[in-house]
């Protein structure tokens, strides 16, 4: 197999060499200090002072390329047959093809308890949005419930448990069975904009992802007709006269629109998608030129700061974190159907800005709500834990570059568990690399200091319930991206974990089943067992993470020599027979990463390690938003955290002790393996005097996590101690970015 993209592989953009202090200081265009980001409801942002004039000319040229029309070959019949994403280097598999196994299945089963309970315990999930309700003063109730509907559908399909989908299914059936006179799927308040600031199509994108998953599912759930779903969506789009390229999230409908084209072959849909993107890029370019002329302060950047001049200059991004994730992936999706190389280059460049300037240690960019810096206290909204890996999966499919699998794993193995209680009974709205306290008034976000958004709750921002719904999409989407088809009828193991995949491969499309057995990322060994009726020749691609420099592969105990990954994959070309076992070993090394303000982090393989601060948990049930079974949780610290890391970067291997338990635990049925990891790290530290919780001088009861102490102002003990670090996901209160002290 040759993964067909020719985009250059990232030079480990998220690793230590790029961990510089590119923290957003929110300067306006004249270099003055701007005000901070506003919260979700007000959605305001201020930007960096940057001279952009030199990029405008290039932007116009880039816009012309990116907005180029469809190839002539695609201008043909009104309805044409299409192959599934014909230009994709990798293609996703339908729900049902991949079955979670081992600890991943146990983790999803535990999630299902909260997912299923949401409709009983908290607004807006217990209101009939998408089930006939028309009145609401805002659009985002439909967005929030649609997030939950999509997550429930995907989780149900993965677990083979229709009960998880029962309540969301009522909303789906109502929407499909009650189209508007022109075929519009959804409430009139979204269609016409009553009380919502104009027609809003973003919630449709969110709900339609659930329809896409159902339409593709194999076998189809009872009562689901994928062709009928695609035809209903086709009518919805062809008859809608809304504006989709005006700078908001309406443009994200390009994703379900192209799925609909893939299912129906209606060329009008492809032409429509291309026009939307053409108009969007042209408008973004014009808006950027106008902003440069105007100068002064800006709010959240129009068009999510995605003008070509900005994207290809690799500047920090100005915009809402979720909006950037959702819109920056769109050229990668459009590439899958058009094959225009410049679209892949654009998508990769757009993500490079995130990796270079905004990425936090846990694998998700700072985004609270706007994209920000990379300090130990910078936060991300939990929505981004679902949205960025989702976007990166499309870039992976378009580029064929395994580095995007690395980024997805880092986010899902660190940020995802880091915001979630071990029992799946509460999540955070905001979280940060260092968080020493998580209560209903400890949020250190500078736009709303003292808010409730860092406490662990079923719905952590209450009326703003986006994270409460979107969180349920995160890990199901990880599983759905674990295996992909290659363009030459092979299979690729794109993300790792215990699973089983069934797909048709080879020149004759014969069925093969592969069982993946592993405790990864808590172990280095991964085994793939082939099951097939007869020997089949097909390529099997295995992703080799960029952090692994000495992978080892065996086929039936015979070593494979000269393992040299190309764009993050090695490919085995052979006749596979039933019973064949391919073993992949990915040795994990301890590595340091540098962070702003004299900070340093410790990683091993895909996992970040942290000092777990022992929490004292208290709970309460809050009417309309939590319950006795799924309460609101607050965590206060009961152990010490005031340590600096006393490591010599040149002696990491000798100074950090990798400790393995003598009898590794069986993680097969463990829903939270982060807390039972067989590996911990013992590291040398020095205590730092006076580094305690930050106290509001006007309200001594108001306490926050403090920033890293300034090197010239702290006093570190002369005594070196050793402390044990655990995987980031095991630490609900944690120190993951340490101050550097003398080794």
């Amino acid at each position: 197999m040759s993964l067909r993209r020719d985009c250059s592989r990232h030079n480990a953009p998220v690793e230590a060499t790029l961990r510089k202090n590119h923290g957003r200081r929110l300067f306006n265009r004249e270099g003055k200090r701007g005000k901070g980001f506003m919260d979700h409801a007000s959605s305001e942002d201020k930007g960096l002072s940057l001279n952009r004039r030199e990029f405008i000319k290039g932007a116009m040229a880039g816009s012309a390329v990116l907005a180029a029309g469809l190839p002539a070959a695609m201008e043909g019949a009104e309805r044409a047959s299409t192959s599934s994403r014909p230009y994709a280097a990798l293609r996703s598999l339908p729900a049902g093809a991949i079955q979670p196994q081992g600890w991943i299945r146990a983790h999803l089963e535990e999630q299902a308890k909260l997912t299923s309970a949401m409709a009983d315990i908290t607004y807006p999930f217990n209101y009939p949005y998408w089930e006939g309700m028309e009145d609401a003063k805002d659009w985002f109730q439909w967005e929030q419930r649609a997030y939950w509907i999509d997550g429930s559908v995907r989780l149900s399909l993965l677990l083979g448990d229709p009960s998880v989908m029962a309540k969301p299914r009522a909303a789906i059936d109502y929407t499909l069975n009650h189209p508007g006179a022109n075929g519009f799927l959804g409430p009139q308040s979204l269609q016409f904009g009553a009380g919502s600031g104009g027609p809003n199509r973003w919630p449709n994108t969110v709900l339609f992802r659930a329809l896409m998953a159902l339409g593709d599912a194999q076998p189809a759930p009872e009562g689901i007709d994928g062709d009928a779903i695609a035809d209903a969506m086709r009518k919805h789009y062809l008859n809608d006269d809304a504006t989709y390229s005006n700078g908001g999230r309406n443009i994200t409908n390009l994703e379900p629109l192209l799925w609909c084209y893939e299912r129906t072959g209606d060329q009008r849909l492809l032409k429509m998608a291309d026009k939307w993107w053409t108009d969007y890029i042209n408008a973004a370019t014009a808006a950027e030129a106008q902003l440069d002329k105007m100068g002064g302060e800006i709010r959240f950047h129009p068009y999510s700061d995605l003008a070509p001049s900005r994207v290809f200059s690799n500047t920090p991004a100005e915009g809402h974190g979720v909006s950037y994730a959702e819109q920056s992936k769109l050229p990668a999706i459009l590439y899958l159907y058009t094959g225009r190389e410049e679209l892949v280059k654009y998508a990769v460049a757009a993500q490079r800005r995130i990796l270079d300037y905004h990425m936090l240690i846990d694998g998700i960019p700072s985004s609270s709500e706007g994209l920000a810096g990379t300090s130990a206290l910078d936060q991300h909204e939990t929505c981004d834990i679902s949205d960025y890996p989702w976007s990166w999966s499309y870039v992976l499919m378009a580029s064929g570059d395994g580095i995007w699998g690395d980024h997805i794993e880092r986010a899902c193995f660190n940020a995802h568990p880091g915001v979630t209680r071990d029992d799946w009974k509460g999540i955070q709205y905001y979280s940060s690399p260092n968080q020493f306290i998580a209560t209903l008034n400890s949020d250190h976000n500078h736009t709303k200091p003292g808010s409730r958004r860092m406490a662990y709750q079923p719905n952590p921002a209450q009326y703003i319930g986006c994270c409460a719904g979107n969180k349920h999409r995160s890990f199901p989407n990880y599983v759905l991206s674990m295996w992909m088809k290659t363009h030459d009828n092979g299979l690729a193991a794109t993300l790792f974990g215990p699973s089983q995949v069934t797909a048709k491969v080879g020149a004759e499309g014969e069925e093969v089943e592969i069982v993946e057995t592993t405790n990864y990322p808590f172990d280095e060994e991964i085994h793939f067992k082939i099951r097939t009726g007869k020997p089949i020749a097909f390529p099997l691609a295995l992703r080799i993470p960029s952090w692994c420099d000495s992978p080892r592969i065996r086929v039936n105990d015979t070593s494979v020599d000269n393992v040299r990954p190309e764009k993050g994959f090695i490919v085995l070309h052979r006749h596979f027979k039933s019973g064949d076992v391919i073993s992949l070993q990915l040795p994990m090394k301890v590595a340091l990463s540098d962070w702003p303000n004299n900070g340093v982090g410790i990683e091993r393989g895909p996992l970040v390690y942290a000092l777990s601060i022992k929490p004292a948990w208290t709970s309460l049930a809050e009417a309309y938003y939590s319950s006795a079974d799924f309460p609101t949780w607050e965590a206060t610290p009961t152990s010490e955290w005031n340590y600096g890391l006393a490591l010599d970067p040149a002696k990491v291997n000798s100074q950090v002790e990798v400790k393995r338990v003598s009898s590794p635990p069986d993680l097969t049925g463990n829903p939270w393996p982060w807390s039972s990891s067989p590996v911990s790290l013992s590291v040398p530290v020095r205590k730092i005097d006076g580094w305690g919780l930050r106290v509001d001088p006007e309200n001594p009861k108001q306490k926050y996590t403090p920033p890293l102490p300034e090197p010239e102002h702290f006093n570190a003990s002369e005594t070196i101690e050793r402390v044990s670090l655990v995987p980031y996901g095991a630490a609900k209160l944690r120190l993951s970015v340490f101050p550097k002290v003398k080794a």
Side-chain angles (χ1 to χ4, degrees):
M1 182 197 74
S2 61
L3 296 173
R4 301 194 313 178
R5 300 287 16 92
D6 192 36
C7 301
S8 60
R9 183 171 172 83
H10 276 321
N11 295 319
V14 79
E15 314 308 334
T17 54
L18 290 177
R19 304 295 201 187
K20 299 178 181 178
N21 187 4
H22 294 300
R24 300 271 316 283
R25 295 226 179 247
L26 307 181
F27 292 104
N28 61 36
R29 289 173 180 257
E30 296 173 348
K32 298 177 181 178
R33 178 72 178 180
K35 296 179 181 178
F37 296 115
M38 301 301 288
D39 67 356
H40 185 287
S42 55
S43 298
E44 292 187 345
D45 184 13
K46 310 278 175 119
L48 285 164
S49 173
L50 293 169
N51 181 1
R52 305 179 181 177
R53 297 184 188 279
E54 62 184 288
F55 298 116
I56 297 301
K57 184 176 180 180
M60 299 303 292
S63 175
V65 173
L66 288 166
L70 292 170
M74 295 188 179
E75 296 285 356
E78 186 71 18
R79 186 178 180 91
S81 61
T82 65
S83 62
S84 178
R85 299 173 180 175
Y87 296 96
L90 296 165
R91 302 186 183 103
S92 57
L93 292 167
I98 303 169
Q99 297 181 25
Q101 304 285 317
W103 73 262
I104 286 184
R105 183 175 184 87
H107 184 65
L108 293 177
E109 289 174 341
E110 196 70 15
Q111 175 190 333
K113 298 175 184 177
L114 176 60
T115 303
S116 299
M118 294 296 286
D120 298 322
I121 60 177
T122 180
Y123 176 87
F125 310 102
N126 54 6
Y127 272 58
Y129 298 106
W130 301 105
E131 291 182 59
M133 188 167 184
E134 290 286 347
D135 298 324
K137 68 176 183 178
D138 296 302
W139 53 266
F140 49 76
Q141 287 89 355
W142 280 277
E143 169 213 45
Q144 293 160 7
R145 197 162 195 253
Y147 276 142
W148 168 73
I149 291 168
D150 183 34
S152 300
V153 164
R154 292 167 187 271
L155 183 59
S156 173
L157 294 172
L158 284 168
L159 294 177
D161 184 353
S163 68
V164 178
M165 199 195 305
K167 293 175 182 176
R169 178 70 183 269
I172 290 169
D173 290 346
Y174 182 92
T175 299
L176 289 173
N177 291 329
H178 294 83
N182 69 340
F184 184 84
L185 299 175
Q188 291 186 359
S189 54
L190 294 181
Q191 183 177 5
F192 301 112
S196 300
N200 194 315
R201 300 298 185 261
W202 158 240
N204 293 88
T205 295
V206 182
L207 184 77
F208 287 0
R209 287 170 180 159
L211 301 184
M212 292 158 59
L214 283 171
D216 282 341
Q218 297 177 4
E222 184 178 356
I224 290 296
D225 182 337
D227 291 338
I229 288 175
D231 193 56
M233 290 171 59
R234 182 177 67 90
K235 292 175 182 176
H236 167 96
Y237 284 121
L238 289 176
N239 295 323
D240 190 16
D241 59 2
T243 300
Y244 281 86
S245 303
N246 60 357
R249 294 188 194 171
N250 283 8
I251 187 64
T252 61
N253 279 267
L254 188 146
E255 178 183 359
L257 178 74
L258 285 170
W259 177 86
C260 191
Y261 163 67
E262 180 181 330
R263 290 294 303 242
T264 67
D266 191 327
Q267 288 282 62
R268 292 174 294 176
L269 300 175
L270 182 59
K271 294 176 184 178
M272 187 182 295
D274 195 71
K275 184 179 187 305
W276 288 359
W277 185 249
T278 297
D279 292 346
Y280 181 87
I281 286 295
N282 287 339
T285 300
E288 180 59 31
Q290 184 65 25
L291 283 172
D292 191 70
K293 291 178 182 178
M294 293 172 59
E297 295 186 0
I298 61 172
R299 297 176 183 272
F300 273 154
H301 201 289
Y303 300 89
S304 291
D305 199 15
L306 287 170
S309 62
R310 296 282 287 158
V311 169
F312 288 108
S313 62
N314 193 25
T315 60
E318 300 171 356
H320 190 276
V322 169
S323 296
Y324 192 93
E326 291 286 357
Q327 294 172 49
S328 64
K329 73 178 186 297
L330 298 177
I333 301 175
L334 188 56
Y335 168 81
L336 302 178
Y337 302 91
T338 66
R340 296 209 303 271
E341 295 286 342
E342 60 273 6
L343 292 168
V344 183
K345 295 176 183 177
Y346 179 100
V348 170
Q351 300 307 320
R352 182 61 181 262
R353 301 168 77 191
I354 295 299
L355 303 175
D356 285 359
Y357 295 103
H358 306 288
M359 189 60 67
L360 298 179
I361 193 172
D362 64 359
I364 290 294
S366 58
S367 43
S368 55
E369 300 278 331
L371 294 162
T374 59
S375 77
L377 288 189
D378 275 301
Q379 301 166 304
H380 50 59
E381 179 189 353
T382 291
C383 277
D384 291 294
I385 301 173
S386 291
D387 294 333
Y388 277 92
W390 178 253
S391 297
W392 295 333
S393 69
Y394 280 113
V395 183
L396 172 62
M397 285 185 268
S399 69
D401 194 331
I403 192 70
W404 303 106
D406 297 3
H407 295 311
I408 294 169
E409 284 191 352
R410 188 180 181 97
C412 292
F413 290 154
N414 296 286
H416 159 69
V419 303
T420 313
R421 270 180 55 93
D422 292 10
D423 57 7
W424 264 107
K425 290 199 172 184
I427 65 171
Q428 296 177 287
Y429 187 98
Y430 287 143
S431 63
S432 58
N434 288 357
Q435 52 185 43
F436 305 163
I437 183 170
T439 65
L440 289 170
N441 67 345
S442 68
D443 181 8
H444 55 260
N445 186 297
H446 63 273
T447 65
K448 270 194 169 184
S451 85
R452 64 182 296 120
R453 296 186 178 189
M454 290 192 76
Y456 289 82
Q457 309 156 69
N459 186 354
Q462 296 192 338
Y463 186 70
I464 308 298
C466 53
C467 293
N470 206 355
K471 185 64 165 68
H472 297 273
R473 300 175 59 241
S474 177
F475 218 73
N477 281 336
Y478 178 88
V479 178
L480 289 169
S481 294
M482 290 177 69
W483 290 89
M484 294 184 180
K485 287 287 294 292
T486 65
H487 74 93
D488 51 1
N489 299 315
L491 276 176
T494 45
L495 306 172
F496 296 126
S499 63
Q500 177 178 307
V501 62
T502 304
K504 293 183 178 180
V505 297
E508 298 180 8
E510 296 173 281
E511 188 170 279
V512 66
E513 180 180 285
I514 303 178
V515 178
E516 180 179 359
T517 305
T518 183
N519 282 331
Y520 184 91
F522 311 100
D523 190 16
E524 301 172 339
E525 288 273 354
I526 306 170
H527 303 284
F528 305 91
K529 187 171 184 177
I530 307 294
R531 295 175 181 170
T532 182
K534 65 177 184 178
I536 306 175
F538 69 94
L540 177 62
L542 306 178
R543 194 184 108 254
I544 306 299
S546 58
W547 47 259
C548 181
D549 57 14
S550 56
R552 293 189 286 274
I553 298 175
R554 301 188 309 277
V555 177
N556 298 330
D557 293 325
T558 300
S559 294
V560 176
D561 298 327
N562 300 319
V563 178
R564 295 189 179 93
E566 179 182 350
K567 296 184 67 173
F569 286 91
I570 65 96
V571 185
L572 302 177
H573 293 273
R574 58 178 286 130
H575 280 79
F576 291 98
K577 64 182 185 301
S578 197
D580 281 349
V581 176
I582 298 92
S583 297
L584 173 64
Q585 186 174 22
L586 300 172
M588 301 179 185
K589 294 182 179 180
V590 175
L592 301 183
S593 56
D594 292 321
W595 299 92
N597 307 317
N598 194 46
V600 60
I602 301 185
E603 307 158 15
R604 182 176 178 271
L607 294 178
V608 175
Y609 281 75
L611 175 69
S612 180
I613 302 168
K614 186 177 180 180
W617 292 101
T618 57
S619 65
L620 71 156
E622 298 178 281
Y624 307 111
Y625 295 108
S626 61
S627 68
D629 289 336
F630 294 90
T632 295
W633 292 95
E634 297 184 277
T636 54
T638 64
S639 61
E640 295 178 314
W641 68 79
N642 55 321
Y643 296 105
L645 193 62
L647 268 179
D648 181 344
K651 299 179 180 179
V652 171
N653 291 333
S654 62
Q655 292 182 344
V656 176
E657 181 184 358
V658 179
K659 302 183 73 172
R660 296 177 174 85
V661 296
S662 56
S663 298
D666 182 5
L667 301 180
T668 301
N670 190 327
W672 208 268
W674 292 272
S675 295
S676 303
S677 173
V679 175
S680 61
L681 304 180
S682 176
V683 299
V685 295
R686 298 181 190 270
K687 271 191 180 176
I688 296 175
D689 294 341
W691 189 30
L693 292 176
R694 184 162 57 93
V695 179
D696 185 341
E698 297 181 1
N699 180 9
K701 293 183 179 180
Q702 182 75 64
K703 298 179 180 179
Y704 306 98
T705 300
L708 295 181
E710 297 179 6
E712 60 272 21
H713 293 147
F714 69 70
N715 181 34
S717 171
E718 291 298 318
T719 302
I720 289 184
E721 307 175 42
R722 295 192 76 86
V723 297
S724 182
L725 307 186
V726 298
Y728 189 96
K732 306 308 142 187
L733 299 180
R734 57 182 169 261
L735 171 65
S736 68
V737 176
F738 289 76
K740 296 177 186 176
V741 296
K742 179 179 63 175

